Amino acid sequence: MADQKLLPGDVHRHDPPVSASASASVLAPAAEVPAPALASASAGSPARRRLFGGRLLRRAVTNSTAILLLLAAWEVLPRLGVVDPVFVPPLSENLVAWYDLLVGGQLPEHLEASLARSLSGFGLAIVLAIPLGLLIGWYKPVADFLTPLLELFRNTSAVALLPVFTLILGIGETTKVTFVLYACAWPILLNTISGVKTVEPLLIKSARSMGLGPVRLFQKVILPAAVPTIFTGVRLAGAYSILVLLFAEMVGAKAGLGYLILDTQSSFRIPDMYAGIITISVLGLLFNLLLVGVERRFSTWRTT
């Protein structure tokens, strides 16, 4: 007998029976998985996490390779006699000296004195230099009046003026804080002025065409656009606040990292001297990382 043409819904005699649930699953349309769910599942997958972790590890290794090579050379070269170990002791000896100063309480005492002076001058520089820079950058009459004076003092080294500060203010804490204030104010002031003056003119024209007054224009357009440049000056000032303080603490100070370095050098305690230098380097690095974090916090509006 010839095979009959099967109609829709007919079941061939050789086909296995289909259950109601299977039939329903076949006939029912496939459920759609939302795109965000797929993206989150893909982003949270173990393979993606391993890939992200591998990238972070490679980046950390790349960024720290030069430092690790420097530390290894510092340890090996003195032991091989390439450099004189009397004047450049191996890194391990310097770290032992650093630990002894830490346990003995000398290092925390000097570090506390330096931090108090540095943060005081740095904070005063921010409070005074940023508003002044905004005024000079935004109001032309103020800029015309103060620019000649700024050009005169910006080219005068803060270190060259240290004897003047000492003669006028003495050798106390006021001199050291004022000295740090003077050195930190210039990068903040100049970068603030530059940040205000280099705002995109099209942004200003667009804001004015929308009816923004001078105050709102400055608040909504000028200040946010100048924030990255201002923070560049703040980061430079953060480095200066530690570097110039060393010079101030070498004159008439009885505590501080600068005093520690000078005192240990004059008494030929070379490992202790390098311990102070290492402390300053680590302190500057941590301070810069802190300022970078603050800059990112206040610049979240920027596209990355």
Side-chain angles (χ1 to χ4, degrees):
M1 181 177 180
D3 292 336
Q4 298 180 354
K5 185 177 181 180
L6 295 177
L7 297 177
D10 292 342
V11 180
H12 196 274
R13 64 178 181 272
H14 298 295
D15 292 338
V18 180
S19 63
S21 60
S23 176
S25 63
V26 171
L27 296 178
E32 296 183 356
V33 181
L38 288 173
S40 61
S42 176
S45 63
R48 181 63 61 87
R49 287 197 298 267
R50 287 194 298 269
L51 178 62
F52 182 70
R55 289 178 179 176
L56 288 180
L57 180 60
R58 287 194 298 271
R59 183 178 178 183
V61 171
T62 302
N63 293 341
S64 59
T65 298
I67 296 178
L68 293 176
L69 289 176
L70 173 63
L71 298 179
W74 193 352
E75 178 68 27
V76 173
L77 295 181
R79 297 189 181 278
L80 295 178
V82 178
V83 295
D84 193 343
V86 176
F87 300 105
V88 185
L91 177 62
S92 57
E93 296 183 11
N94 300 322
L95 294 178
V96 170
W98 183 89
Y99 180 76
D100 292 338
L101 290 174
L102 177 65
V103 174
Q106 297 178 352
L107 186 62
E109 177 186 355
H110 295 297
L111 180 61
E112 181 181 358
S114 293
L115 281 177
R117 296 162 182 161
S118 179
L119 294 179
S120 298
F122 177 68
L124 288 174
I126 292 177
V127 171
L128 297 176
I130 291 181
L132 181 60
L134 294 176
L135 287 174
I136 296 174
W138 184 239
Y139 295 103
K140 192 175 185 301
V142 179
D144 294 338
F145 178 73
L146 292 178
T147 296
L149 190 63
L150 297 180
E151 292 297 329
L152 174 64
F153 281 99
R154 66 178 292 186
N155 296 309
T156 304
S157 172
V159 179
L161 292 178
L162 179 57
V164 178
F165 285 111
T166 304
L167 290 174
I168 296 176
L169 301 175
I171 59 175
E173 296 298 313
T174 304
T175 300
K176 298 172 181 57
V177 174
T178 306
F179 183 60
V180 174
L181 165 63
Y182 179 85
C184 293
W186 289 108
I188 299 176
L189 178 64
L190 297 177
N191 278 273
T192 302
I193 296 173
S194 175
V196 174
K197 288 186 175 181
T198 57
V199 175
E200 179 63 41
L202 183 60
L203 292 177
I204 301 177
K205 292 180 181 179
S206 301
R208 284 175 174 167
S209 66
M210 296 175 64
L212 266 68
V215 177
R216 297 286 293 175
L217 175 64
F218 182 81
Q219 179 184 2
K220 296 296 184 180
V221 178
I222 303 299
L223 187 57
V227 163
T229 309
I230 294 174
F231 265 101
T232 299
V234 171
R235 289 177 59 187
L236 289 173
Y240 291 168
S241 67
I242 298 174
L243 296 177
V244 300
L245 179 63
L246 300 180
F247 293 97
E249 290 180 339
M250 291 179 180
V251 179
K254 296 300 181 183
L257 294 175
Y259 168 78
L260 172 65
I261 293 173
L262 182 63
D263 180 63
T264 52
Q265 185 269 338
S266 60
S267 59
F268 212 73
R269 292 181 289 152
I270 304 301
D272 292 346
M273 180 191 73
Y274 281 106
I277 296 174
I278 292 173
T279 303
I280 291 172
S281 300
V282 175
L283 179 62
L285 177 62
L286 295 177
F287 200 17
N288 181 69
L289 292 177
L290 175 62
L291 293 177
V292 169
V294 175
E295 179 182 3
R296 290 176 179 172
R297 171 65 179 83
F298 282 92
S299 302
T300 53
W301 58 271
R302 300 174 65 192
T303 56
T304 55

